[in-house]
Amino acid sequence: MKTSELLKMVDVQVAYRLLGRELPTPGTKPWVKIRCIHPDHRDEHPSCSVNVQTGWWQCFSCGRDGNLILAVMLLRRCSKQEAFNWLKTNCVMGEGHTTVSECATTELVPVSKDGPKTECTRADDVPWDEVEMWLKIAQDFVDSEPDSEEWICKSLGISQPTRVRFKLGFLKGQPDHTFHDPRILIPTWDRTGLLRNLRCYRPGAKQRKVLPLCRGMKPSLFAFDQIPAGTKTLILAEGERDCMVLYEHGFVAVSSTGGAGTWLDEWSRLVAELGVEHVIILYDHDDAGREGVKKAASSLVSAGIKVLIASWPEESPPGFDVADWFSSGKSAEQLQSDVLEKATKCECSLVRKTSCVIQVDGRPVLYLATDRPIAETTANLTDVLIQSNRIFRRGTDIWCADAHRAFAITNRRHLGGALNGYVEFCKYIKDDETLDENGMSNPIIYYCNPPFELFERLQYSHEMDRLLPLNHYSKVPVFDTDFNLIPPGYHDPTGIFYAGEVIEPSASMEHLKLLCSEFAWKHDETDKANYIGALLTALLVMHFPGGHPGVVLNGNQPSLGKTLAANLTSLIVGDKDVESVTYTQNDEEFEKQIATQVDRGALVILIDNIKANVESAVLERAITSKVLTFRRLGKTEAITMPNTTLFFLTVNNGLMSRDLATRCMPINLYYEGPAEQREFTNPDLEEYAVANRQAILAELVGMVARWVEAGRPDGKGYRGRFNRWAKTIGGVLAVSGFEGFLGNWAEMTSQMSTEADEITKLASVVLNLKRVNLDLTAKELVQIAREHELFEQAVSKGGRGAVQSLGHHLVPFKGMTIKVDDDVEVIFHIRHDASGNKNVYRFEFDGELSETAKLGLWKPKESPLDERESIAPIADAGTRLDAHRIEI
């Protein structure tokens, strides 16, 4: 049983009563007030609202919220599975009760209307029950809070009847916390009353203005259910808000929920089946709107609909739309006379050429003729892709890259998005009834989706080599091999696409210092330098693919800002929130998660909140491989590309394999006392980083420029696998006055690695067995390790294999001083025996051992032994141990 199915069957009143939180009797609305569910919030005055139908709770004081499952987890302090089982056992309603979904359905689903029975297939991976629940919550909130309805109507420029007509809701926050600010929920229905989409609108936003409530929702045809029967003419608007404003002023309209360029041929067919004869396209006054008009017009004409294209007055500012028209004081009558009645007829004229590439309205169209060899069509397709200046090859994949984003083309959806607005595909038949001025028959064009089979043929043919290489895609300034800044756009000499603006080097360090001042570094000088070094690594990553370390953000407790530090890096260097994956000890599953993010071209990948000891051959390989290679999920194809990914790991006092520890740069955070009580000068660093991103980049570029001007001096003090990286980043930091870079590297590899923890435990066992200062053979150490479950992976092998494997694990600790506790240290030695053929191992210790011989009771000698004396601890009070044997 799924969680959504269980929540439909639960008696919410009973559940909260058993949890010790009796819910008050609700009034006309399903929301009641209780003390906050979260145990960390001392809610003296009840500020938490609970929906008695769904169990969803939201505290308007601390901002936390969640479903009934989370409430059980918090109040019973149990796991998610335990909470699920508890609800299933104790709180499922019996026969005769009405389920939550049944309560919602009567208000949620509109009355069916005549017309087509379907719009398009709903995405099966969307949790529709939860989506409907959220819409119900948001609608109930509007009904119970008049201020929210006033805010919605004012924000959209509509009246209360229009708000009710489109069943809009108000939402503060979202279950996966993608956003926290107030949003307007806009549902989309088909004509059968089925919910197709639920979008969240943020008034006043310039970017990410409209988001789906959850991932997986497909673009849908908005307001299709509102078209009256018998409608012959309707307006096609660019977005949901414009569409609702048109209805507010008496017009009939539809729009796509995906934006200007997402019109589907399926929708053209649905509009035609409804009996609509004319469509007036009224898109925004910008480049995206003009491109979207071409796509929608071609699709509608192919469906047999007559299309008129309306244009805003030339003096209109960029982005001008329907809402702007009415907010400027213009009337519906003026829109009709000055804009709609002046719309021009869409002319899709065909210009024939000898090639199979033709031009329609100035756009290349590749027609798929059955009488032409496929190889010729493939070559023509390659020509068109090269001319688009946005299709490249990266590794074994074909990528689309422009000033906004870059992605691998792996399926039909990717291909359609990559080619949208640049090339169309069509088939045609001759129309012998109409002739042109030369007496030749005119072909009738039928547009179609890009043929993915043809694209695959291109990908695995020699034509692939004609595409330009995409070695790196960056939204931050990029330096070439001589550390000269690369201009925006595609750079032929390096194969780098810089999708950003020209950044001038800055001599200031104001913003970087402010960001760093907000974190509780363990060692202010070293950890601060390491963090800025991580930012510089992301900036210069093309100079050492696979030759740069991962970054470990280690804290002594939660809530110190480890994830925040990683996200700031991604916002600054990637212009988006960090891509996060969950660590699992199943390397096969872990690899799938990493491969998914790499396939999407993630520059920064965060492995967040690791709770287990980290041992992952996949992660070790991903950090240091010059070329990343993974298997694409669900296919036998490989993902292959240069390693320009920066991995962040966040842990609290974590441990990892020594191999992984030597591949990571440590950044330590430390705070004594409750971390939640820390005060920040800047309460929202992420917002600050986004607002000042260009200035921060200018400061980082300025650091590199000063280093180049100083003669590119090498950083000093590091010896390891990442020498070139350390010399470059260390040199840049030193020129700008940041000292201590990598000063804690040895500390991390000795204290955070799981092998370091194992060698410390082995030393304590040898101490307690009174076998210090003795030469121990490898076989003896194997026996000790097995008896005390140490170095289990190494000693699990049989015979000589265990000896060799344990010896391999112990070599890195040769000559190391091992701190067993605050007062006890031993030195680990590896020497050859008398024959010179085998290794012997010794833990040297100078101290006293109490009679109980337990760790923690060691006492240091009052004075050090003379160097000429043999080093031996005290076995029992007053008894000296022989350096070569021990009597027990």
Side-chain angles (χ1 to χ4, degrees), residues 207 288 390 400-407 422 473 475 497 499-500 574-576:
Q207 295 181 346
R390 68 194 307 254
C400 172
D402 57 23
H404 305 288
R405 58 178 180 165
F407 57 90
Y422 292 88
Y473 179 86
K475 291 196 172 183
F497 197 116
D575 196 23
K576 64 177 182 179

Side-chain angles (χ1 to χ4, degrees), residues 285-559:
H285 188 62
D286 53 26
D287 291 338
R290 284 184 281 273
E291 287 299 321
V293 166
K294 295 178 183 179
K295 180 178 179 63
S298 297
S299 176
L300 289 163
V301 168
S302 299
I305 298 174
K306 295 179 181 180
V307 176
L308 299 173
I309 299 176
S311 300
W312 298 109
E314 285 299 324
E315 65 273 13
S316 301
F320 191 83
D321 59 14
V322 172
D324 295 330
W325 175 273
F326 289 106
S327 63
S328 65
K330 299 290 183 67
S331 66
E333 291 75 14
Q334 289 174 302
L335 180 66
Q336 180 69 38
S337 61
D338 297 347
V339 178
L340 300 181
E341 290 182 1
K342 294 181 179 180
T344 59
K345 183 180 178 182
C346 175
E347 297 289 349
C348 288
S349 58
L350 174 67
V351 179
R352 277 174 288 212
K353 291 192 174 181
T354 55
S355 167
C356 64
V357 179
I358 58 179
Q359 296 288 325
V360 176
D361 295 335
R363 185 175 359 185
V365 176
L366 185 66
Y367 68 83
L368 307 173
T370 57
D371 57 348
R372 289 184 180 273
I374 297 179
E376 181 180 342
T377 306
T378 304
N380 290 138
L381 173 60
T382 308
D383 292 335
V384 172
L385 296 182
I386 292 173
Q387 293 172 9
S388 73
N389 295 319
R390 68 194 307 254
I391 305 297
F392 306 90
R393 56 181 167 84
R394 188 177 190 187
T396 58
D397 291 329
I398 297 180
W399 277 62
C400 172
D402 57 23
H404 305 288
R405 58 178 180 165
F407 57 90
I409 302 174
T410 61
N411 54 45
R412 286 177 169 80
R413 183 179 57 191
H414 292 162
L415 180 61
L419 303 185
N420 180 45
Y422 292 88
V423 60
E424 296 288 349
F425 295 83
C426 73
K427 297 179 182 179
Y428 73 91
I429 61 173
K430 292 183 178 180
D431 181 10
D432 294 328
E433 295 182 3
T434 60
L435 303 177
D436 60 17
E437 64 273 12
N438 298 318
M440 302 293 293
S441 60
N442 280 323
I444 300 176
I445 297 177
Y446 291 90
Y447 288 94
C448 57
N449 289 320
F452 193 70
E453 295 74 14
L454 180 63
F455 178 80
E456 286 182 317
R457 186 182 180 102
L458 161 64
Q459 187 172 5
Y460 295 103
S461 73
H462 66 278
E463 297 288 348
M464 173 86 166
D465 297 332
R466 295 172 54 200
L467 298 176
L468 293 174
L470 180 65
N471 295 325
H472 184 57
Y473 179 86
S474 176
K475 291 196 172 183
V476 295
V478 185
F479 295 84
D480 64 15
T481 54
D482 293 324
F483 289 93
N484 299 310
L485 280 172
I486 290 174
Y490 182 76
H491 191 240
D492 281 304
T494 60
I496 296 173
F497 197 116
Y498 171 39
E501 302 175 3
V502 175
I503 300 291
E504 296 294 336
S506 171
S508 170
M509 299 289 289
E510 172 190 358
H511 297 290
L512 286 173
K513 289 180 178 178
L514 188 146
L515 286 177
C516 291
S517 67
E518 296 286 2
F519 289 94
W521 310 116
K522 183 177 182 181
H523 302 294
D524 188 70
E525 185 178 77
T526 293
D527 293 311
K528 184 190 300 181
N530 287 359
Y531 182 63
I532 297 180
L535 292 172
L536 288 168
T537 300
L539 188 73
L540 302 174
V541 70
M542 270 300 297
H543 292 264
F544 14 76
H548 59 281
V551 179
V552 173
L553 289 156
N554 181 42
N556 70 317
Q557 59 173 306
S559 302

